[in-house]
Amino acid sequence: MWWNASNVITNIPECLALFFIIFWLGIRTMHFMAVVYAKYRLHRRVEKTCPETPLPGISILKPLTGCDPNLYSNLETFFVMNYPTYELLFCIENELDDAVPIVRQLIEKYKHVNASLFIGGEQVGINPKINNMQTGYSAAKYELIMISDAGIRLKEDTLLDMVQHLTENTGIVHQMPFTYDREGFAATYEKIFFGTIMARMYLVADLLRINCHTGMSTLMRKKLLDEVGGLRTFGVYLAEDFFIAKSITDRKWRIRISSQPALQNSGFCEVTAFQARLARWIKLRLAMVPLTTVIEPLSECVLLGAATSWATHFLLRWDPLVFFMVHLLLWFLCDFILLSIIQHGTLPFSKFEFVLGWLFREFTGLPLFLHAVKDPQIQWRSRSYRLRWGGVAEDFTKKV
Ligand SMILES: CCCCCCCC/C=C\CCCCCCCC(=O)N[C@@H](CO[C@@H]1OC[C@@H](O)[C@H](O)[C@H]1O)[C@H](O)/C=C/CCCCCCCCCCCCC
Ligand SMILES: O=c1ccn([C@@H]2O[C@H](COP(=O)(O)OP(=O)(O)O)[C@@H](O)[C@H]2O)c(=O)[nH]1
């Protein structure tokens, strides 16, 4: 019999083939789980009526660096939130930054909104985003802290949605990264990335309670940060989001995603810049969870498909080409369904554009991963870093 136990143990090709088939079944299961969980979990109707207790106040930290064509309209969404008590704390490192006049203009336009601008930051660690936010954090007066990156847009009811997910035992509610509708191939590629490969992993991680916290749009209880020394404690890391969530879950609090995905809407949208961003994230993930060195490339549709085609041919004599084509089709359909659920409306591109964008994403995923692994140096904006094992970062800007 082909699966005879002693054969499997002693025969390496058979073991490898069996491993690929089991891994393939695992990833396919995750794919289906992600689709079902997305349908059940995302885009829930937000209750407009207040619960018995008054809604808690939120201090929203907006770390800004530079200006892009969408900055004004993205920031404006924060001034028109349907939420009773919140303050906006804009943080900008450099007084000459182009974002300064934009923020001042908005503060002037919406005088009734509680908003302040903090310039200069404070050097508390290596992470420039934490350094930038530190002065705003020190001034924050509410019990909830929201960290929201420069390119994020909110819907009117996003804060309500997030607060409603902050149940008694929950310490963090974060938004799953996704994108706002923009035009062009780069925007299509970004939306496909966040709505397929990233969403699949993110949703399954949330379901299995694996730390997948991404700091681009996240709401947390301030007391949980203050208990460990405040935001500054995480300034030694570049992936501050991962370590904040780790610290909070270590104290037995839950983290969960909100029902609305994060709408990233940076005004700069280019394939190469996006790939550089993804390469930086890959390097962070490898340092945080070294297991991803194997899991990430093997979870790529093309590599997994090729390996499992070989495995099923080797063990079961199935036609590898037929297997690969069926695998590709199944993967493609699951991805399209998942993306459509997350979009929750009409996609801003045609089916043909989806096919092109999807093939591009799938066939560039592995080369991008290998390219990222090759060079340990991390470039973030104008600075360079290296990570030590465990995630503590070193600034390499002056050393290069
Ligand atoms: C995208 C493909 C991932 C494949 C990984 C395979 C398995 C992982 C399972 C779940 C992980 C979900 C992925 C979540 C994070 C993805 C985004 C990311 O990389 N973000 C990093 C950078 O974020 C920015 O950092 C700077 C900050 O200022 C910005 O605000 C941030 O947006 C972030 O730092 C990542 C941290 C590390 C996450 C590691 C998660 C790995 C978990 C591995 C578990 C393996 C078992 C899986 C079994 C299902
Ligand atoms: O030197 C920096 C780099 C980034 N940021 C802020 O950190 C957030 C995330 O930055 P970026 O979009 O570059 O990170 P990514 O999402 O690509 O990881 C944004 O609000 C930036 O304004 C900052 O304050 N100082």
Side-chain angles (χ1 to χ4, degrees):
M1 228 183 295
W2 67 266
W3 48 264
N4 181 304
S6 59
N7 275 355
V8 170
I9 292 162
T10 50
N11 196 321
I12 290 172
E14 282 185 4
C15 285
L16 202 62
L18 201 58
F19 168 79
F20 285 136
I21 293 175
I22 292 170
F23 196 83
W24 184 88
L25 287 170
I27 294 286
R28 298 291 334 143
T29 310
M30 276 175 60
H31 219 150
F32 290 122
M33 275 160 68
V35 170
V36 174
Y37 191 55
K39 188 76 194 154
Y40 154 79
R41 193 67 175 68
L42 301 180
H43 304 293
R44 295 263 145 193
R45 200 169 56 85
V46 180
E47 292 299 334
K48 301 280 181 197
T49 52
C50 287
E52 312 83 65
T53 45
L55 289 164
I58 308 177
S59 300
I60 305 178
L61 290 169
K62 291 287 304 176
L64 308 179
T65 15
C67 183
D68 69 59
N70 294 347
L71 186 66
Y72 185 94
S73 75
N74 290 340
L75 294 185
E76 193 165 26
T77 62
F78 287 77
F79 286 84
V80 293
M81 293 303 306
N82 175 15
Y83 195 81
T85 323
Y86 69 97
E87 59 175 347
L88 295 172
L89 307 165
F90 294 97
C91 304
I92 302 180
E93 205 181 308
N94 186 338
E95 175 176 28
L96 302 175
D97 197 301
D98 292 339
V100 172
I102 303 271
V103 171
R104 292 217 162 108
Q105 232 175 305
L106 283 162
I107 292 179
E108 185 59 26
K109 182 172 172 189
Y110 295 94
K111 287 201 178 72
H112 62 283
V113 177
N114 184 354
S116 331
L117 172 60
F118 299 86
I119 295 178
E122 191 186 331
Q123 189 76 28
V124 291
I126 215 83
N127 186 318
K129 178 177 166 184
I130 298 271
N131 291 344
N132 191 7
M133 289 190 294
Q134 184 54 38
T135 41
Y137 183 82
S138 302
K141 62 179 182 209
Y142 292 122
E143 63 189 277
L144 300 183
I145 280 279
M146 181 180 191
I147 297 176
S148 172
D149 283 359
I152 298 290
R153 281 181 85 84
L154 294 189
K155 290 185 179 170
E156 263 187 28
D157 57 3
T158 305
L159 292 182
L160 269 179
D161 176 59
M162 293 181 86
V163 167
Q164 282 173 7
H165 285 85
L166 199 73
T167 54
E168 218 177 299
N169 62 346
T170 304
I172 298 182
V173 173
H174 54 120
Q175 289 193 286
M176 182 178 87
F178 194 51
T179 61
Y180 193 62
D181 293 353
R182 288 168 297 174
E183 281 178 3
F185 180 74
T188 303
Y189 170 46
E190 276 197 32
K191 196 179 272 294
I192 290 173
F193 175 86
F194 286 109
T196 61
I197 178 163
M198 169 73 102
R200 182 191 325 135
M201 294 304 180
Y202 216 85
L203 288 161
V204 172
D206 184 66
L207 181 65
L208 301 180
R209 305 198 182 176
I210 294 171
N211 179 2
C212 59
H213 178 226
T214 299
M216 67 176 61
S217 182
T218 173
L219 181 77
M220 54 194 95
R221 296 180 192 274
K222 185 163 184 285
K223 66 169 187 187
L224 296 180
L225 291 177
D226 290 337
E227 267 172 27
V228 292
L231 205 51
R232 62 170 68 229
T233 304
F234 302 95
V236 292
Y237 305 113
L238 269 194
E240 81 291 338
D241 40 6
F242 178 81
F243 288 98
I244 290 175
K246 183 174 179 315
S247 157
I248 289 179
T249 50
D250 282 351
R251 283 173 277 157
K252 308 288 174 240
W253 288 83
R254 265 210 70 180
I255 68 166
R256 58 177 82 223
I257 54 166
S258 66
S259 85
Q260 293 181 10
L263 300 175
Q264 302 173 80
N265 185 39
S266 164
F268 297 129
C269 197
E270 282 170 13
V271 171
T272 46
F274 183 55
Q275 288 184 327
R277 188 182 185 213
L278 294 183
R280 171 162 52 83
W281 286 7
I282 289 170
K283 293 176 202 192
L284 289 179
R285 288 197 298 272
L286 293 186
M288 301 314 107
V289 188
L291 190 64
T292 59
T293 319
V294 183
I295 298 179
E296 291 211 20
L298 255 191
S299 326
E300 286 286 347
C301 168
V302 177
L303 183 62
L304 184 60
T308 319
S309 299
W310 165 78
T312 50
H313 177 68
F314 183 72
L315 289 181
L316 306 168
R317 296 285 146 217
W318 287 4
D319 185 320
L321 189 64
V322 172
F323 182 90
F324 187 77
M325 295 317 280
V326 172
H327 158 84
L328 213 60
L329 184 67
L330 208 58
W331 200 289
F332 173 85
L333 289 175
C334 280
D335 273 354
F336 185 73
I337 295 168
L338 184 59
L339 176 65
S340 306
I341 294 171
I342 298 166
Q343 174 74 10
H344 197 54
T346 318
L347 284 163
F349 40 78
S350 65
K351 294 211 171 50
F352 178 67
E353 285 166 317
F354 173 74
V355 174
L356 288 185
W358 185 83
L359 287 172
F360 182 75
R361 204 319 296 156
E362 293 305 331
F363 283 89
T364 54
L366 195 58
L368 183 67
F369 181 86
L370 296 175
H371 171 74
V373 181
K374 229 172 45 197
D375 175 16
Q377 196 114 321
I378 297 181
Q379 191 70 35
W380 192 15
R381 304 275 174 139
S382 55
R383 296 182 177 97
S384 297
Y385 305 86
R386 285 234 176 164
L387 291 186
R388 290 191 233 134
W389 283 114
V392 172
E394 238 182 290
D395 195 337
F396 256 62
T397 314
K398 295 177 202 80
K399 299 177 191 168
V400 287

